[in-house]
């Protein structure tokens, strides 16, 4: 038996100083650490399609013969590409293959040689295309199933794969010591650790791979449960003074609407957390979960009211400046009449304003401070901070979140999220939190009609948008990118496919199309002040059409907007589309959401079709998880920011219960 935990990764053959350094940076020190980097996904490189039956716009493997000699071509902008054609059979249609910025590849392919290509197959005006595919000479193809690893800093997926392969070729499954207590392993009939690790890296069989995953997921859940349980048994951790009961009537009266019964229920739960007379009194650790538009802000305001009336300070923190400003507006107008001071702190707060905020922070007076994560970068230690509300918490990176939690441990915490997270994932993200759910939308909400259209119907859609604007309403036009990337522009140019619409270009063309109206542009690369100005103008109705990237996705509230058009809708994750769509249908008027896509992919169209029929965030989350796996759940933006544990990929709640029970028993026996 080899103890892999004692073996430094530098002992693997082929690990030089540079690789060793990159590994250390990625937190991989021992061979066991390396083997615990699991494939993110598996690519099926089995060539199973004839070219004309192959699904478009998704990755496929095709074995093809090179039929024209590679040549280097230049695009009008002077970028170099290597192009050649290949065919599956002599009389089957040619596939144009192109690589960008890798001119040396011109010598890598020879007419008459066969390769397995693996890449996204698209069809443009000029026929079939594959851009920068993976390729192997046919006599050198490895397995049909390729493990794809996450990229970690300077370590590419391929490099990690190589290292793991090298390591596994020098050991046997039985060399890997099992970390679970044998009794636990037997009780749940789990695969031995060594076998599971071999199988997950080099799958041999579907059923075995599932067993391997189950085993490794169990490990994570077991360890997680152990830690949680140890924490729970350490009694005195988060004790805070209990607050006095507060008459909330003035607050309720100040609200512009009666609370829904779901909001009342959630507020009562929070009130109980804060004011219960049970001793010792634990700090509130509550997650308020509710679909977009369910009215979480009002509930948070209630919690803040209680804290402030008890003489404390309350923070409410939002992931973006736009959202922070909006909360600031809402809360100032609500609390203004109740004689409660509300201040705003963001990255663009002036030095002078900051000084004032600092003064207020060290004074013992009650205060509501709204802000972005700038709140937690502020060094001033606030006097009497008793409540921290975090909105749309999953949007914060893991690091920010940890910072936040570590500084906020002895305070009451309310976390709000509109993303209906699959349960296993929630257990990791929100471990140890109590949960309140807003399962009811405020009355009078209009249902949103969602349509799916091809780009050819865009002009008709504009006509429709114009009608809405004439009726006094406003519209969002969402584009996936600020500018398309160089590679995307090249792809488009070479294949003759429809343009991927960038927000900047779109705004320009809409200014011409909607001459009589005001068109605003909003994207993440703009200065905070400019962003706020545009958002303000849109909120006030001065701007009728807002062209935006996904920065409007979180929380923004303009009830008068009744249309949202989403360009290249297939580029977004479903959770993201759901969030976006939640920006409309917020007022009393009927709203429309229009997805525009030129995609021909069955899969992509199927997913969008689903969205046109379903408006239930939880159902969408489930569907998305089924379709794409959790890696994509938060959309591409989140990649790397959120290292998902393997356990989040399991939908098996019972496994979590088993692990948790075993952990408790294990600790009992340890005593
Ligand atoms: P979210 O849960 O997405 O954060 P918000 O708190 O922004 O939702 O509320 C969405 C909209 O619904 C806001 O315009 C808010 O004023 C309104 N709203 C909230 N609660 C109620 C209610 N009980 N009755 C009517 N409108 C409400
Ligand atoms: Mg909100």
């Amino acid at each position: 038996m080899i103890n892999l935990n004692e073996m430094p990764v530098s002992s693997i053959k082929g690990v030089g100083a540079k690789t060793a350094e990159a590994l250390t940076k990625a937190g991989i020190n021992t061979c066991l650490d390396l083997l615990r980097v699991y494939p993110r996904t598996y690519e099926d490189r089995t060539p199973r399609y004839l070219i004309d039956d192959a699904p478009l716009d998704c990755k496929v493997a095709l074995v093809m013969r090179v039929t024209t000699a590679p040549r280097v071509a230049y695009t009008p902008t002077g970028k170099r590409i290597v192009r050649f054609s290949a065919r599956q059979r002599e009389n089957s249609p040619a596939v144009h293959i192109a690589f960008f910025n890798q001119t040396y590849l011109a010598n890598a392919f020879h007419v008459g040689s066969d390769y397995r290509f693996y890449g996204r197959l698209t069809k443009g005006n000029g026929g079939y295309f594959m851009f920068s595919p993976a390729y192997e000479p046919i006599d050198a193809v490895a397995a049909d199933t390729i493990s794809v690893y996450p990229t970690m800093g300077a370590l590419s997926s391929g490099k990690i794969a190589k290292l793991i392969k090298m390591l596994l070729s020098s050991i046997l499954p039985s060399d890997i010591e099992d970390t679970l207590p044998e009794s636990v392993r037997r009780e749940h009939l789990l695969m031995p650790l060594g076998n599971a690790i071999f199988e997950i890296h080099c799958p041999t069989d579907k059923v075995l791979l599932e067993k391997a995953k189950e085993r490794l997921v169990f490990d994570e859940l077991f360890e997680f449960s152990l830690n949680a349980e140890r924490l729970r048994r350490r009694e005195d951790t988060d004790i805070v003074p209990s607050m006095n009961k507060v008459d909330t009537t003035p607050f309720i009266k100040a609200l512009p609407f009666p609370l829904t019964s779901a909001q009342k229920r959630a507020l009562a739960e929070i009130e109980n957390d804060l004011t219960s007379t049970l001793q010792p009194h634990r700090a509130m650790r509550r997650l308020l979960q509710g679909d977009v538009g369910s009215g979480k802000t009002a509930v948070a305001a209630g919690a803040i009211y209680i804290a402030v009336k008890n003489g404390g300070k309350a923070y409410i923190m939002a992931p973006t400046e736009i959202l922070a400003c909006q909360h600031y507006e809402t809360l100032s107008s609500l609390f203004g009449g109740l004689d409660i001071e509300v201040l705003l702190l963001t990255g663009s707060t002036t030095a002078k304003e900051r000084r004032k905020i600092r003064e207020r922070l060290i004074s013992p007076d009650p205060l509501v401070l709204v802000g972005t994560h700038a709140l937690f970068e502020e060094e001033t230690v606030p006097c009497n901070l008793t409540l921290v509300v975090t909105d749309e918490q999953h949007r914060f990176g893991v690091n920010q979140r940890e910072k936040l939690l570590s500084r906020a441990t002895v305070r009451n915490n309310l976390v709000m999220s509109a993303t209906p997270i699959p349960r296993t994932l929630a257990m990791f993200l929100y471990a140890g939190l109590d949960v309140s759910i807003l399962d009811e939308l405020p009355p009078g909400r209009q249902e949103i009609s969602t349509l799916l259209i091809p780009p050819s119907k865009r002009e008709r859609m504009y006509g429709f948008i114009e009608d809405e604007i004439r009726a006094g309403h406003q519209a969002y036009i969402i584009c996936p990118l600020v500018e398309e990337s160089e590679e995307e522009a090249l792809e488009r140019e070479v294949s003759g496919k429809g343009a991927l619409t960038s927000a900047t270009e779109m705004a320009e063309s809409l200014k011409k199309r909607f001459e009589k109206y005001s068109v605003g542009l909003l994207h993440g690369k703009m200065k905070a002040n400019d962003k706020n100005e545009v958002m303000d103008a849109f909120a006030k109705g001065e701007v009728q059409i807002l062209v935006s990237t996904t920065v409007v996705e979180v929380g923004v509230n303009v009830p008068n907007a009744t249309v949202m058009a989403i360009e290249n809708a297939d580029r977004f994750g479903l959770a993201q589309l759901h969030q976006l769509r939640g920006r409309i249908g917020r007022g009393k008027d009927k709203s429309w959401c229009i997805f525009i896509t030129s995609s021909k992919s069955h899969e992509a169209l199927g997913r969008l079709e689903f969205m046109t029929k379903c408006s239930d965030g939880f159902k969408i989350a489930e569907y998305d998880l089924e379709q794409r796996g959790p890696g994509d759940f938060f959309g591409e933006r989140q990649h790397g920011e959120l290292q998902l544990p393997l356990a989040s990929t399991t939908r098996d709640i019972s496994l979590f219960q088993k692990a948790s029970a075993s952990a408790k028993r294990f600790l009992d026996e340890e005593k």
Side-chain angles (χ1 to χ4, degrees), residues 548-563:
S548 171
T549 58
T550 52
V551 281
V552 294
E553 180 188 343
V554 261
V556 170
N557 189 28
V558 180
N560 190 42
T562 52
V563 189

Side-chain angles (χ1 to χ4, degrees), residues 296-297 323 327 391-392 416 555 586:
K296 292 182 289 294
T297 319
L323 196 50
H327 280 329
D391 197 8
E392 310 283 351
M416 305 198 286
R586 301 198 135 219

Side-chain angles (χ1 to χ4, degrees), residues 461-462 464-469 473-478 506-507 509-522 534 537-538 541-548 561 563-565:
M461 175 187 84
Y462 289 156
F464 174 73
I465 290 179
E466 200 159 7
D467 290 345
E468 280 296 296
I469 294 176
H473 297 307
Q474 289 161 282
Y476 292 100
I477 313 271
I478 309 293
M506 182 53 98
S509 92
L510 285 181
K511 273 177 192 159
K512 289 185 201 120
R513 171 64 181 77
F514 291 92
E515 246 175 4
K516 277 189 278 176
Y517 303 103
S518 168
V519 177
L521 171 66
L522 186 70
V534 174
F538 189 63
E542 294 161 9
V543 164
Q544 283 85 34
I545 299 180
L546 183 66
V547 178
S548 171
V563 189
M564 174 175 282

